[in-house]
Amino acid sequence: MTSSHTDCHYCLQSLRGRKYALREENAYCVTCYDSLFANPCEECKQPIECDSKDLAYKGRHWHEGCFKCAKCSRSLVEKPFAAKDEVLLCTECYSDEYSSKCFHCQKTIMPGSRKMEFKGSSWHESCFVCQYCQQPLGTKPLITKDNENYCVPCFEKQFAHHCYSCKKVITSGGVTYHDQPWHKECFVCAGCKTQLSGQRFISKDEYPYCVDCFSKLYAKKCAACKKPITALGGAKFISFEERQWHGECFNCVKCSVSLVGHGFLTRQDDVLCHECGSA
C-alpha cells in the first residue's frame, strides 16, 4: 500500500510514496513492520516479510518456498500432508514411513482415508467385508472362523449348529447328546425339566432323565428295601424269578447273612440260607 499523508507509527518517518503495512489501524513502514511483527520461518529461521506469503500450521509459520516435505523436499503448498513428531511429510512419504498396511490386500492405508481395526490389525474400509456375502462389516457384529470374518447371518447359515430341541442357532457352548447339538439350557430332564448339563443322567427311549426321575419312572424296586435299583456307579443287583435285590439287600430273611454268591432257598416271598431254610 502507498500513502502520502501518514507517518510510520514506530519510526515516525513519512510514508509518503512508500509501501506500508497496517496493524491494529496503525501504519508501519515495511522495515519497521518486519522487524516488529514478522514471524520467523520454521525452516530457514528468517523473518517472513510482509510482502511474502506466510503459511501457518498449528501456530508455526513458513515461507511459501520453505513449506515442503521433510523427506522428499516436494512443496506442500495446497497439497495434502501429514505431521509426525512436528515434522511435515507429504502423504506418500508419510505412508511409506508410518501408515498401516491393510491386513487383506497388504496395500498402504493412506492418511485421511478411513480404516477399520480388529484384533490388532487394520483394513481398508472396502476390504473389511464378510467372507461369504462380501458386504462391508463396518461396526456390525461379526464372527471369525479360520482367520476369516463373517457377518452373523452368513456365519449362522454356513457353520452354526441348530439346537435339536428348540431348532435355534447355538452361538456358543452347547451339549452333544446322541450326536445331536443342544443348548445347555435346552438339555433338560424329560421328566422334571431340570437342566442336565454337567449332571449325571440316564437315557431311556432316546430321552435323557435325571437319576431321580428315571428311578421313579422306570427303575425296578428292590424286593427287600423297596427302593429303586438304578445300577449307577457299577452297583450290583441280584435277579431271581422276576424279583430284584440290591447286592447289599440280598440276605437271609431270618439270620441276615449275605446270600450273594451262595446257594439259597425260597419260602413264599422270602429267601433263606440253607441252614435257616432246613431248620
Side-chain angles (χ1 to χ4, degrees):
M1 298 178 66
T2 60
S3 174
S4 60
H5 58 275
T6 59
D7 297 332
C8 173
H9 185 72
Y10 186 72
C11 70
L12 303 180
Q13 292 187 19
S14 173
L15 297 176
R16 183 175 298 174
R18 299 169 59 191
K19 289 183 178 180
Y20 70 94
L22 289 175
R23 184 179 178 87
E24 297 178 354
E25 299 185 357
N26 294 317
Y28 297 84
C29 66
V30 172
T31 302
C32 289
Y33 185 90
D34 289 341
S35 65
L36 293 171
F37 306 116
N39 294 306
C41 175
E42 287 287 327
E43 177 65 21
C44 69
K45 310 305 180 185
Q46 298 299 312
I48 303 173
E49 299 170 338
C50 65
D51 57 353
S52 300
K53 184 176 288 188
D54 184 333
L55 300 179
Y57 175 71
K58 290 189 175 180
R60 297 185 293 157
H61 300 265
W62 288 261
H63 289 105
E64 185 175 13
C66 295
F67 194 62
K68 55 191 177 183
C69 174
K71 185 175 181 183
C72 69
S73 298
R74 284 184 290 184
S75 175
L76 299 177
V77 177
E78 297 183 358
K79 293 181 180 177
F81 63 90
K84 179 70 175 178
D85 299 328
E86 297 190 352
V87 175
L88 303 185
L89 298 166
C90 64
T91 53
E92 291 82 359
C93 289
Y94 182 89
S95 298
D96 291 341
E97 290 289 320
Y98 304 110
S99 289
S100 304
K101 296 292 191 295
C102 176
F103 183 83
H104 177 73
C105 70
Q106 295 302 307
K107 295 181 180 179
T108 298
I109 301 175
M110 298 297 290
S113 62
R114 189 175 182 186
K115 71 176 180 179
M116 311 302 297
E117 295 193 1
F118 179 65
K119 290 188 175 180
S121 298
S122 301
W123 279 263
H124 291 109
E125 186 177 21
S126 58
C127 292
F128 193 58
V129 298
C130 170
Q131 178 67 19
Y132 185 72
C133 69
Q134 297 299 306
Q135 293 300 307
L137 291 170
T139 57
K140 298 176 184 176
L142 61 91
I143 301 173
T144 300
K145 179 179 174 61
D146 299 330
N147 290 325
E148 300 289 357
N149 300 320
Y150 297 85
C151 64
V152 173
C154 285
F155 182 85
E156 292 179 351
K157 186 185 300 182
Q158 292 294 108
F159 305 109
H161 296 293
H162 289 75
C163 177
Y164 182 78
S165 175
C166 71
K167 311 306 180 186
K168 294 181 180 179
V169 171
I170 301 173
T171 57
S172 63
V175 175
T176 299
Y177 172 68
H178 282 185
D179 296 325
Q180 298 291 346
W182 302 60
H183 289 114
K184 287 183 178 181
E185 57 271 22
C186 292
F187 188 61
V188 298
C189 171
C192 66
K193 307 304 179 184
T194 300
Q195 287 191 24
L196 296 176
S197 178
Q199 307 298 320
R200 299 174 73 184
F201 64 91
I202 302 171
S203 294
K204 174 70 174 175
D205 300 328
E206 297 189 357
Y207 290 99
Y209 292 85
C210 67
V211 175
D212 288 343
C213 284
F214 183 86
S215 298
K216 292 175 183 177
L217 294 172
Y218 301 109
K220 297 181 183 298
K221 302 296 190 295
C222 175
C225 71
K226 309 305 180 183
K227 294 180 180 179
I229 300 173
T230 63
L232 285 175
K236 294 181 179 179
F237 70 97
I238 311 299
S239 180
F240 176 72
E241 291 184 351
E242 298 188 3
R243 290 187 293 163
Q244 289 79 31
W245 291 261
H246 292 110
E248 62 274 18
C249 293
F250 192 56
N251 304 321
C252 173
V253 72
K254 190 171 183 181
C255 70
S256 299
V257 68
S258 175
L259 299 177
V260 178
H262 301 285
F264 61 91
L265 301 173
T266 62
R267 182 180 297 163
Q268 295 180 350
D269 290 335
D270 296 331
V271 289
L272 302 123
C273 65
H274 278 293
E275 184 175 344
C276 291
S278 301

